[in-house]
C-alpha cells in the first residue's frame, strides 16, 4: 500500500484520478496491515506532510495518516513516541529546520489522534520543556502563532508553576521582538493575526493561573523602560493591554509611580513607548492606561517626566488622528496631554476650534497636573492643588491681607484688568508694569497661591511698617494715586520728545502680531485695542475717576461759589449717633439717628459737634428704635445731602465781606466706570484716645443707581469762583467731611431758605439729573474690632461672560425701575434697584447662584453666593463690609453717553499675553513644577521616619476668617506654606 501511495504521488495522473486512488487507499485502512507496513505508511505520510512539494501532497499525507492512525492506534502510538517528538523539536526533519511552523502543525495533528492514549502524557511532558526552550530562542511571529494554537488546544503542554511564570515572561519578551516590515495589506493582516493569537494565549494562561499575571506585567515594564539604545521593543506589546483587568489600574499605577527604584529616564522611556502603542490597530484600553499613568505621575509631582514626554510625543499622537481605527484612543490621549500642559504654550501648535470660555476653564482645571487626584500618593506626598474655582490666591507675607484683598478686588474689575494686561510696557520698571505682571500671574500661574513679594515692596507706602497691619482703603488710595502720577509723568515726558515716526521693523513683533516699542524707548500706557480720544486722562482716571461739584450758597445774599473736584473713591461716614453708639455703649442718644456726610478720598470720619444740618427731602432720619439696618444708598444720600455752615464753621462770603451762614451742596457730575465706596468704620474715641470700629451692619444692594447731575451753566453772580481741577489735599478732604448738626429752632427757616436758594440755582442754569445704574463688583470685608488688628478678605463677582460686562445674574429689568415706577425715590437720590430677573435667566435660588461669587481669603479661593455676602455680618458681627466697588451697568438698547463704550473702557475679551509676560509665567510655572516634584520626592524619602499632619480647611460659611498674620486665623502666613524657590 505504501508503494502504491508513493507511486501515486510521483505519477503524472490528473488530480481527479489521484483523489480516487487516495480514496481507495483510505478505505483499505480498515483491513489488517502488518506492523512493518504501518510503520512504512506512517513514515511516508510524515514525509509528505513535512516535505511535500505542494499543498496537495500535504493534504494526501494528512488524510492517509489520520485514517491509518485511527484504525491502527497501537502501531501509531509506537511510531509517534516521545523520542520521535523530541527529535522533531530539537533537530527538525530531514532538511526541514526545527523552527519551521510545519513541525508544530504536524505535532498538533498527531496529538489529536493520540489524545486518548496513555503515552500522550509523556509527550506532554516533553512538549512542556521544549516550548519553554523555544520561546527563549525568540521565535518569529509565525512560529509563535502556530505554537500558541497548539498550546491553546492542549493546555497540558503549557509549563506549570515556576516554569509557567518563566514561560509567560519569556513569551512577553518574545512579543517585544516581533517586527513587521511588510507593506502589503495581506501581510499586515497576517502579522496582526499572528500577534493576536499569541496575546490570546497569554490571556488564557493569566485567567487559568492568576499568579502569572503580575510577573508578566513586570516583564512588560522592564522591556518598555529599557534605555538600551540598541533595543527597540515592538508595539505588538500593545496587544496585551486589552487583556489586563481594568480594575488593576490603580494598584499598578501606584506601584509604578511610587517605586523609588524606577528612575526618571526609565519612566520616560516606558511612557513614550506606551504612547507609541496607540498605533496598534486592535488594542483596547491603551488610552486608558496611558492617561492613568500621566495622572499618576502628576499626582506624585513628577512633572519633569510629563514635560519631556509631552514635547516628545505630542506630534506623533496628533498624527494618529488621521487613521480612523486608532483615532478614538489617540484623541483621548491628545486631549489630556494638551489640556494638562498648562505652564507653557510650547506644546500647542494646532489651530483648533475654540469652545466656550467657561468650558475651557472647567476642563483645564480638571486636567491640570497639579489638580490630579492624589489617590496614587500617600501620606506626605499629598499636595493641595489649585482651587476648583480656577482662580489664584495670594500668599500672606506677614499681615499683608490688606494688599491681597485690594489686589483681588482690582483684578476682579474686568475692564480695568484687561486694560492693564493690554498695555505695552516692555522694558519698563514702573509700578504699572509690576501690577501688569502680578495680574498676569493671577490669571495664568499654576500655583494655588502666588506670593506678591516684589509688588509689595514696590507699592508699600513709606509710612507703612513692615509686618504690621495696615488700612486697606489707605493702601488702595495710595496705589491708585501712584499709578495715576506715574502715568502723568510719562505723558509729560512723551510730550516733550520730538515726534519722529519710528522705522518699521517687521521683526520686532510680539506673538499677537503687534509691533512692540523699541528697546530703550519709554512705553506708552495706551491699550493696544482701543485708542482714547486724546483727552489726556490716565487709565486710573478713565477707570475710577469721577467728578464732584461743591457749591456753597450764602444764605444772606444767595451768592453761589462752586468748585469742581475729581475723586477716585467716596468715603462714607456714619451718623454721630450710630458711630458713638458702637464705640461708646453707655446708652442711646436723645438725638435722632442721622447719617452724616463723609469725605472725598478720605479725611475725617466723624463730624465735629456744634455743626448744623438741614433736613432735606433726600435725607432719611432713622430713629434709634427697631429700625431696619442702614444701606449703602442711605450712606451715599447722606454724603450728598446739603449741610449748613454756621457758628464755628461759618462761611466767609466775599460779597458780604463777612462770615455768613451758608449751605453747602455736593453733586456728582461725572460718574466713574468703577465706583469705589469706603465705609468709614474707624472712629476716634476722645476719652480713650483710640480708634474704635463701628460694627453697624450695612445692607449692600447688588444693584443701585447713582444721581449724576449735568454741569451747571456759569453763574452770573460776581462772587462765584471756579477753582481749577486738582487732587484733594488732606485739608480740603477733612473740611468736606465736617457735617454740621442742625438746631431745632432754625430748622424750618433754614429749609425755606434752602428751597429759595435751590430755585435761584435752577434759574441760573438748568440742571438735568440722570440715574446711572451700578452693579456690585467686589466687597472688601474687615474682620475684627480695631483698625490696628483683624483680617481683610474680599468677595468678588464671578463674571462668566466673555465680554466681562454682563453675567446671567446681571440681566435685570432696569427700564421700569429707572423711570417713575417708584415715586418714593426721585432721580436726585441714590437708591437700590429692584432685582427682577428677565425670563429665561437663572433664578436666584437655582444651583448656579452658588458660583456667582468668589471668596478671596489670602491663599484660599472658594465659591460662595451673594446671600453669604449679605448675611456675613449677621452671622459674624465682627466681619463688616469696608470697601465696596460697583461697576457701571450697561443699559439695554442704544448706548448712553458716558457709557463704557464712550469712555473707551470696554474690552470684549481677555487680551493675549505679551511675550515678556508669557516668558515670565512659563519660567515660573516650570520652576513651580520642579519645586513640587523635588518637595514630593524629599517628603517621600523622609516618610518612613517622620509624620506629617495637615490642618483641615474648614468651610468659610462655618467659621469667620479670623485674624491676620502668621500667628493664627483663617488667613495669613499660617495658612500657607511657601516652598523655598530653587536655583537651577
Amino acid at each position: 500500500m505504501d508503494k502504491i501511495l508513493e507511486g501515486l504521488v510521483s505519477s503524472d495522473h490528473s488530480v481527479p484520478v489521484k483523489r480516487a486512488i487516495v480514496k481507495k487507499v483510505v478505505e483499505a485502512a480498515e483491513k489488517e496491515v502488518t506492523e512493518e507496513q504501518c510503520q512504512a505508511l506512517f513514515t511516508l505520510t510524515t514525509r509528505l506532510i513535512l516535505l511535500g512539494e505542494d499543498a496537495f501532497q500535504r493534504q494526501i499525507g494528512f488524510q492517509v495518516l489520520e485514517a491509518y492512525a485511527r484504525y491502527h492506534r497501537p502501531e501509531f502510538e509506537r511510531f509517534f513516541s516521545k523520542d520521535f517528538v523530541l527529535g522533531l523539536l530539537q533537530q527538525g526533519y530531514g532538511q526541514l529546520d526545527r523552527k519551521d511552523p510545519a513541525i508544530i502543525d504536524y505535532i498538533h495533528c498527531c496529538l489529536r489522534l493520540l489524545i486518548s492514549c496513555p503515552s500522550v502524557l509523556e509527550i506532554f511532558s516533553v512538549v512542556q520543556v521544549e516550548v519553554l526552550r523555544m520561546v527563549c530562542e525568540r521565535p518569529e511571529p509565525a512560529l509563535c502563532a502556530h505554537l500558541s494554537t497548539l498550546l491553546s488546544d492542549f493546555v497540558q503542554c503549557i509549563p506549570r508553576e515556576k516554569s509557567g511564570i518563566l514561560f509567560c515572561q519569556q513569551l512577553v519578551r518574545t512579543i517585544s521582538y516581533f517586527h513587521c516590515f511588510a507593506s502589503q495589506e495581506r501581510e499586515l493582516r497576517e502579522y496582526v493575526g499572528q500577534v493576536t493569537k499569541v496575546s490570546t494565549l497569554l490571556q488564557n494562561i493569566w485567567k487559568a493561573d492568576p499568579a502569572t499575571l503580575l510577573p508578566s506585567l513586570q516583564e512588560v515594564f522592564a522591556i518598555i523602560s529599557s534605555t538600551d539604545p540598541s533595543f527597540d521593543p515592538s508595539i505588538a506589546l500593545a496587544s496585551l493591554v486589552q487583556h489586563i483587568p481594568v480594575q488593576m489600574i490603580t494598584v499598578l499605577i501606584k506601584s509604578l509611580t511610587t517605586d523609588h527604584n524606577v528612575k526618571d529616564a526609565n519612566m520616560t522611556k516606558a511612557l513614550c513607548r506606551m504612547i507609541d502603542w496607540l498605533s496598534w490597530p486592535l488594542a483596547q484600553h491603551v488610552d486608558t492606561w496611558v492617561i492613568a499613568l500621566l495622572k499618576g505621575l502628576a499626582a506624585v509631582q513628577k512633572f519633569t517626566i510629563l514635560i519631556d514626554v509631552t514635547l516628545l510625543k505630542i506630534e506623533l499622537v496628533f498624527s494618529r488622528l488621521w487613521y480612523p481605527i486608532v483615532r478614538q484612543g489617540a484623541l483621548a490621549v491628545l486631549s489630556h496631554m494638551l489640556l494638562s500642559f498648562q505652564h507653557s504654550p510650547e506644546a500647542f501648535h494646532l489651530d483648533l476650534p475654540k469652545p466656550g470660555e467657561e468650558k475651557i476653564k472647567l476642563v483645564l482645571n480638571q486636567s491640570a497636573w497639579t489638580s490630579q487626584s492624589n489617590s496614587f500618593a500617600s501620606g506626605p506626598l499629598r499636595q493641595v492643588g489649585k482651587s476648583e474655582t480656577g482662580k489664584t490666591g495670594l500668599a500672606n507675607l506677614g499681615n499683608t491681607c490688606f494688599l491681597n484683598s485690594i489686589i483681588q478686588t482690582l483684578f476682579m474689575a474686568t475692564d480695568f484688568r484687561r486694560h492693564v494686561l493690554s498695555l505695552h510696557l516692555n522694558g519698563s520698571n514702573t509700578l504699572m508694569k509690576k501690577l501688569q505682571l502680578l495680574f498676569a500671574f493671577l490669571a495664568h500661574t499654576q500655583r494655588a497661591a502666588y506670593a506678591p513679594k516684589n509688588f509689595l515692596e514696590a507699592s508699600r507706602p513709606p509710612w507703612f511698617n513692615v509686618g504690621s497691619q495696615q488700612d486697606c482703603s489707605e493702601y488702595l488710595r495710595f496705589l491708585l494715586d501712584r499709578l495715576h502720577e506715574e502715568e502723568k509723568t510719562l505723558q509729560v515726558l512723551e510730550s516733550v520728545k520730538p515726534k519722529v515716526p519710528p522705522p518699521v521693523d517687521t521683526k520686532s513683533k510680539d506673538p499677537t502680531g503687534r509691533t512692540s516699542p523699541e528697546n530703550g524707548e519709554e512705553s506708552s500706557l495706551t491699550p493696544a485695542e482701543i485708542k482714547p480720544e486724546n483727552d489726556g486722562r490716565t487709565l486710573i482716571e478713565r477707570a475710577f475717576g469721577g467728578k464732584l461739584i461743591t457749591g456753597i450758597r450764602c444764605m444772606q445774599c444767595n451768592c453761589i461759589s462752586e468748585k469742581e473736584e475729581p475723586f477716585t473713591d467716596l468715603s462714607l461716614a456714619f451718623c454721630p449717633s450710630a458711630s458713638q453708639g458702637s464705640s461708646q455703649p453707655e446708652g442711646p442718644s436723645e438725638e435722632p439717628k442721622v447719617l452724616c456726610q463723609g469725605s472725598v478720598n478720605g479725611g475725617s470720619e466723624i463730624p465735629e459737634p456744634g455743626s448744623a444740618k438741614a433736613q432735606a427731602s433726600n435725607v432719611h432720619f432713622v430713629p434709634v428704635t427697631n429700625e431696619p439696618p442702614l444701606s449703602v444708598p442711605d450712606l451715599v444720600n447722606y454724603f450728598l445731602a446739603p449741610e449748613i455752615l454756621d457758628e464755628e464753621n461759618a462761611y466767609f462770603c466775599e460779597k458780604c465781606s463777612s462770615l455768613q451762614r451758608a449751605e453747602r451742596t455736593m453733586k456728582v457730575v461725572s460718574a466713574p466706570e468703577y465706583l469705589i465706596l469706603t465705609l468709614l468704620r474707624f472712629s476716634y474715641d476722645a476719652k480713650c484716645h483710640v480708634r474704635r470700629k463701628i460694627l453697624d451692619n450695612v445692607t449692600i444692594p447688588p444693584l443701585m443707581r447713582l444721581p449724576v447731575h449735568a454741569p451747571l451753566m456759569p453763574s452770573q453772580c460776581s462772587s462765584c469762583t471756579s477753582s481749577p481741577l486738582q487732587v484733594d489735599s488732606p485739608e480740603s478732604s477733612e473740611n468736606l467731611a465736617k457735617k454740621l448738626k442742625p438746631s431745632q429752632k432754625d430748622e424750618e427757616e433754614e429749609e425755606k431758605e434752602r428751597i429759595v436758594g435751590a430755585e435761584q440755582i435752577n434759574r441760573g442754569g438748568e440742571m438735568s439729573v440722570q440715574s446711572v445704574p451700578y452693579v456690585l463688583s467686589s466687597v472688601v470685608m474687615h474682620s475684627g474690632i480695631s483698625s490696628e488688628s483683624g483680617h481683610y478678605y474680599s468677595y468678588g463677582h464671578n463674571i462668566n461672560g466673555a465680554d466681562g460686562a454682563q453675567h446671567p445674574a446681571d440681566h435685570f429689568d432696569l427700564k421700569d425701575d429707572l423711570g417713575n415706577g417708584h415715586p418714593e425715590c426721585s432721580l436726585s437720590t441714590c437708591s437700590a434697584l429692584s432685582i427682577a430677573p428677565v425670563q429665561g435667566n437663572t433664578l436666584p435660588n437655582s444651583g448656579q447662584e452658588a458660583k456667582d461669587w468668589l471668596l478671596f481669603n489670602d491663599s484660599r479661593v472658594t465659591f460662595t453666593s451673594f446671600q453669604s455676602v449679605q448675611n456675613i455680618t449677621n452671622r459674624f458681627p465682627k466681619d463688616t463690609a469696608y470697601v465696596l466697588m460697583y461697576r457701571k451697568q450697561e443699559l439695554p438698547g442704544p448706548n448712553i453717553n458716558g457709557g463704557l463704550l464712550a469712555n473707551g473702557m470696554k474690552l470684549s475679551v481677555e487680551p493675549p499675553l505679551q511675550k515678556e509676560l508669557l516668558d515670565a509665567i512659563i519660567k515660573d510655572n516650570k520652576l513651580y513644577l520642579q519645586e513640587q516634584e523635588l518637595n514630593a520626592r524629599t517628603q517621600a524619602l523622609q516618610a518612613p521616619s517622620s509624620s506629617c499632619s495637615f490642618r483641615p480647611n474648614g468651610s468659610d460659611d462655618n467659621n469667620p476668617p479670623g485674624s491676620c498674620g502668621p500667628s493664627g486665623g483663617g488667613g495669613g502666613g499660617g495658612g500657607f506654606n511657601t516652598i523655598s524657590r530653587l536655583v537651577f
Side-chain angles (χ1 to χ4, degrees):
M1 192 65 65
D2 58 332
K3 293 183 179 179
I4 296 175
L5 186 59
E6 186 175 359
L8 174 64
V9 171
S10 59
S11 66
D12 295 332
H13 296 297
S14 61
V15 174
V17 175
K18 291 182 178 181
R19 290 187 182 277
I21 298 175
V22 170
K23 184 178 181 182
K24 292 183 179 181
V25 173
V26 170
E27 291 174 353
E30 299 178 7
K31 301 178 180 179
E32 291 188 7
V33 183
T34 63
E35 177 77 18
E36 293 76 10
Q37 288 178 333
C38 281
Q39 295 297 328
L41 193 61
F42 291 148
T43 302
L44 176 60
T45 53
T46 300
R47 184 163 57 87
L48 289 176
I49 294 172
L50 298 178
L51 303 178
E53 297 178 357
D54 51 30
F56 179 71
Q57 293 186 2
R58 291 191 291 274
Q59 182 182 5
I60 292 175
F62 276 119
Q63 289 180 354
V64 176
L65 177 65
E66 183 177 358
Y68 279 82
R70 181 176 294 113
Y71 290 103
H72 305 280
R73 187 67 56 84
E75 290 81 2
F76 181 69
E77 189 175 356
R78 288 189 290 271
F79 171 79
F80 193 74
S81 63
K82 65 175 184 178
D83 295 331
F84 179 70
V85 173
L86 185 62
L88 289 175
L89 294 174
Q90 291 185 350
Q91 301 174 8
Y93 188 82
Q95 68 269 26
L96 188 66
D97 188 77
R98 60 187 176 86
K99 295 182 179 180
D100 195 293
I103 291 181
I104 301 299
D105 290 342
Y106 173 75
I107 296 176
H108 190 184
C109 176
C110 294
L111 286 177
R112 286 202 303 267
L113 298 174
L114 289 178
I115 190 60
S116 59
C117 299
S119 61
V120 76
L121 299 177
E122 297 180 350
I123 299 177
F124 286 160
S125 301
V126 171
V127 175
Q128 283 182 359
V129 177
E130 290 303 310
V131 294
L132 178 59
R133 178 189 58 78
M134 291 175 67
V135 296
C136 291
E137 295 176 350
R138 309 293 174 252
E140 293 296 321
L143 178 58
C144 253
H146 287 266
L147 188 62
S148 299
T149 303
L150 168 64
L151 297 180
S152 297
D153 288 346
F154 297 97
V155 295
Q156 301 91 335
C157 297
I158 299 175
R160 303 293 179 186
E161 300 178 351
K162 293 183 178 180
S163 297
I165 295 176
L166 181 60
F167 173 75
C168 290
Q169 290 176 323
Q170 292 300 320
L171 191 56
V172 167
R173 188 161 291 273
T174 297
I175 296 175
S176 68
Y177 283 87
F178 287 176
H179 292 285
C180 179
F181 305 100
S183 58
Q184 300 296 324
E185 181 180 355
R186 181 188 61 81
E187 296 173 338
L188 292 174
R189 288 180 178 275
E190 184 180 0
Y191 170 74
V192 172
Q194 293 167 352
V195 174
T196 302
K197 289 181 179 180
V198 179
S199 64
T200 303
L201 171 65
L202 275 172
Q203 178 193 17
N204 295 333
I205 296 176
W206 292 342
K207 287 183 177 180
D209 187 4
T212 60
L213 176 57
L214 188 57
S216 301
L217 298 182
Q218 291 173 341
E219 185 70 18
V220 172
F221 184 78
I223 293 170
I224 63 176
S225 63
S226 172
T227 57
D228 183 1
S230 62
F231 175 60
D232 185 21
S234 170
I235 65 170
L237 287 171
S239 61
L240 301 178
V241 175
Q242 59 188 327
H243 304 310
I244 304 173
V246 180
Q247 298 83 352
M248 296 185 65
I249 287 182
T250 302
V251 176
L252 293 178
I253 297 301
K254 181 178 181 179
S255 175
L256 288 176
T257 55
T258 58
D259 189 350
H260 300 302
N261 297 321
V262 179
K263 298 181 179 179
D264 286 359
N266 300 106
M267 184 63 74
T268 302
K269 275 289 186 184
L271 187 52
C272 286
R273 285 165 174 160
M274 287 180 66
I275 293 175
D276 291 339
W277 290 354
L278 292 170
S279 302
W280 187 254
L282 300 181
Q284 299 176 6
H285 308 306
V286 172
D287 56 323
T288 304
W289 283 91
V290 170
I291 293 174
L293 184 54
L294 290 172
K295 290 182 177 181
L297 291 172
V300 294
Q301 287 82 48
K302 293 187 178 181
F303 303 122
T304 304
I305 298 175
L306 297 172
I307 293 173
D308 293 342
V309 170
T310 301
L311 295 179
L312 283 172
K313 292 297 180 180
I314 195 72
E315 293 184 7
L316 181 141
V317 177
F318 178 73
S319 66
R320 300 301 95 183
L321 298 180
W322 291 104
Y323 306 100
I325 195 171
V326 296
R327 180 178 297 156
Q328 184 176 359
L331 182 59
V333 174
L334 178 67
S335 300
H336 180 83
M337 293 174 72
L338 289 178
L339 292 173
S340 61
F341 198 91
Q342 298 179 20
H343 69 282
S344 164
E346 191 174 358
F348 291 81
H349 301 288
L350 309 175
D351 186 14
L352 300 176
K354 180 182 177 182
E357 181 178 353
E358 282 305 302
K359 179 67 174 177
I360 292 175
K361 291 179 180 179
L362 176 63
V363 177
L364 284 176
N365 190 41
Q366 293 174 345
S367 303
W369 290 332
T370 51
S371 302
Q372 296 308 319
S373 170
N374 288 19
S375 59
F376 300 114
S378 58
L381 286 180
R382 296 183 180 271
Q383 300 289 335
V384 179
K386 199 167 184 178
S387 164
E388 63 173 348
T389 64
K391 302 294 183 181
T392 303
L394 288 170
N396 194 309
L397 304 177
N399 284 321
T400 59
C401 59
F402 70 91
L403 176 142
N404 293 346
S405 59
I406 292 301
I407 293 301
Q408 295 286 18
T409 297
L410 294 176
F411 183 81
M412 294 302 288
T414 308
D415 292 312
F416 176 69
R417 177 185 74 243
R418 291 174 177 174
H419 274 266
V420 170
L421 290 175
S422 64
L423 299 174
H424 289 291
L425 303 172
N426 295 335
S428 66
N429 192 30
T430 60
L431 183 60
M432 182 64 80
K433 174 64 179 179
K434 291 180 171 60
L435 179 63
Q436 183 186 59
L437 186 63
L438 179 56
F439 277 2
F441 273 109
L442 285 177
H444 299 287
T445 185
Q446 285 195 304
R447 298 179 184 271
Y450 181 76
K453 182 179 180 180
N454 294 334
F455 189 80
L456 172 64
E457 294 175 353
S459 64
R460 179 193 291 116
W463 59 90
F464 276 20
N465 294 326
V466 178
S468 300
Q469 180 64 283
Q470 306 295 342
D471 190 329
C472 73
S473 67
E474 184 179 6
Y475 172 76
L476 172 61
R477 195 172 300 116
F478 174 82
L479 175 62
L480 296 182
D481 185 61
R482 275 277 309 275
L483 295 172
H484 166 75
E485 294 298 332
E486 183 181 82
E487 186 174 351
K488 277 291 186 185
T489 303
L490 292 178
Q491 289 178 354
V492 172
L493 294 177
E494 285 291 329
S495 63
V496 299
K497 285 186 177 182
K499 296 182 179 180
V500 179
V504 178
D505 185 5
T506 58
K507 297 181 180 179
S508 60
K509 288 188 176 181
D510 63 13
T512 63
R514 294 185 292 270
T515 306
S516 303
E518 293 182 355
N519 294 333
E521 181 183 351
E522 290 291 346
S523 56
S524 171
L525 294 181
T526 302
E529 289 82 352
I530 296 177
K531 299 293 182 183
E533 300 174 354
N534 294 325
D535 54 4
R537 293 189 302 162
T538 64
L539 177 58
I540 300 302
E541 288 178 309
R542 289 186 287 122
F544 305 104
K547 291 180 182 179
L548 283 169
I549 284 184
T550 303
I552 301 179
R553 180 179 62 86
C554 176
M555 302 184 74
Q556 179 66 30
C557 64
N558 287 325
C559 181
I560 301 172
S561 175
E562 293 180 348
K563 178 182 178 181
E564 188 175 85
E565 298 176 296
F567 69 90
T568 54
D569 73 306
L570 300 179
S571 298
L572 309 179
F574 290 76
C575 68
S577 59
S579 61
Q580 293 172 5
S582 297
S583 60
Q584 301 176 358
E586 293 89 353
S589 172
E590 297 179 359
E591 301 287 342
K593 187 176 181 180
V594 181
L595 284 183
C596 45
Q597 178 177 342
S599 63
V600 180
N601 292 342
S604 176
E605 298 94 335
I606 300 303
E608 296 182 356
S611 61
K613 173 92 178 192
Q615 293 186 5
S617 60
N618 61 340
V619 179
H620 303 279
F621 291 84
V622 184
V624 255
T625 59
N626 302 325
E627 289 293 332
L630 299 170
S631 66
V632 173
D634 291 336
L635 300 184
V636 175
N637 284 332
Y638 282 110
F639 176 84
L640 298 175
E643 64 174 301
I644 300 301
L645 304 180
D646 196 4
E647 298 179 0
E648 295 179 0
N649 295 312
Y651 169 67
F652 182 84
C653 178
E654 294 181 359
K655 184 176 181 181
C656 299
S657 299
S658 61
L659 293 172
Q660 296 293 337
R661 215 157 172 270
E663 180 189 56
R664 180 168 62 183
T665 59
M666 283 195 298
K667 297 179 177 64
V668 178
V669 295
S670 177
E673 300 304 325
Y674 287 94
L675 176 63
I676 300 176
L677 303 175
T678 301
L679 309 188
L680 299 177
R681 290 190 172 276
F682 301 112
S683 62
Y684 181 73
D685 190 336
K687 293 182 180 180
C688 302
H689 301 286
V690 294
R691 295 179 67 191
R692 298 187 183 275
K693 182 178 177 181
I694 301 173
L695 297 174
D696 291 18
N697 188 14
V698 177
T699 302
I700 305 171
L703 291 167
M704 74 172 188
R705 57 184 181 183
L706 181 70
V708 179
H709 298 252
L712 294 176
M713 301 277 297
S715 176
Q716 303 299 323
C717 179
S718 60
S719 65
C720 290
T721 60
S722 178
S723 302
L725 294 181
Q726 59 184 5
V727 180
D728 294 343
S729 64
E731 292 78 14
S732 64
S733 298
E734 184 176 357
N735 186 47
L736 288 173
K738 296 178 179 177
K739 298 301 292 185
L740 308 179
K741 184 169 65 176
S743 59
Q744 294 179 349
K745 64 179 182 179
D746 295 331
E747 286 181 359
E748 295 181 2
E749 179 183 352
E750 291 166 356
E751 175 65 14
K752 294 178 181 178
E753 292 177 354
R754 191 195 65 80
I755 296 175
V756 172
E759 293 175 353
Q760 293 182 2
I761 292 175
N762 287 331
R763 289 195 296 270
E766 291 297 328
M767 291 187 301
S768 63
V769 182
Q770 180 186 17
S771 281
V772 178
Y774 279 90
V775 61
L776 186 63
S777 174
S778 298
V779 181
V780 177
M781 310 292 295
H782 178 264
S783 177
I785 58 174
S786 170
S787 61
E788 287 77 23
S789 64
H791 176 56
Y792 291 107
Y793 58 97
S794 63
Y795 292 95
H797 196 179
N798 187 22
I799 299 176
N800 295 327
D803 61 351
Q806 296 287 352
H807 181 274
D810 294 342
H811 289 255
F812 302 115
D813 190 3
L814 302 180
K815 290 185 176 181
D816 295 336
D817 201 31
L818 292 176
N820 297 324
H822 299 270
E824 70 278 5
C825 297
S826 66
L827 292 177
S828 61
T829 60
C830 178
S831 61
L833 290 174
S834 61
I835 304 177
V838 179
Q839 185 176 3
N841 289 332
T842 306
L843 296 175
N845 294 330
S846 67
Q848 178 66 24
E849 186 189 8
K851 296 187 178 181
D852 282 349
W853 283 80
L854 299 170
L855 171 60
F856 297 93
N857 190 0
D858 285 338
S859 58
R860 295 184 59 200
V861 186
T862 55
F863 284 119
T864 186
S865 65
F866 183 66
Q867 185 178 6
S868 298
V869 181
Q870 290 180 313
N871 295 336
I872 187 69
T873 305
N874 292 329
R875 301 182 62 204
F876 309 110
K878 294 190 298 181
D879 291 42
T880 55
Y882 186 42
V883 178
L884 299 91
M885 181 179 290
Y886 280 85
R887 172 173 49 85
K888 187 185 290 184
Q889 177 82 341
E890 275 191 271
L891 291 175
N895 187 39
I896 300 174
N897 289 337
L900 290 176
L901 295 177
N903 198 23
M905 281 301 298
K906 178 71 172 179
L907 287 180
S908 59
V909 295
E910 296 290 338
L913 277 182
Q914 300 171 41
K915 187 177 186 305
E916 186 177 3
L917 299 176
L918 184 61
D919 291 343
I921 293 172
I922 292 174
K923 181 179 179 181
D924 184 72
N925 281 342
K926 288 183 177 179
L927 179 61
Y928 169 66
L929 295 178
Q930 291 169 347
E931 290 172 359
Q932 293 292 92
E933 183 173 356
L934 182 59
N935 183 58
R937 296 187 181 199
T938 301
Q939 291 181 354
L941 293 176
Q942 298 173 351
S945 59
S946 64
S947 61
C948 180
S949 62
F950 289 85
R951 184 178 62 181
N953 290 325
S955 171
D956 290 294
D957 290 334
N958 296 328
N959 298 288
S963 62
C964 178
S967 60
F976 179 80
N977 297 324
T978 304
I979 303 173
S980 301
R981 296 203 169 202
L982 308 176
V983 179
F984 291 89

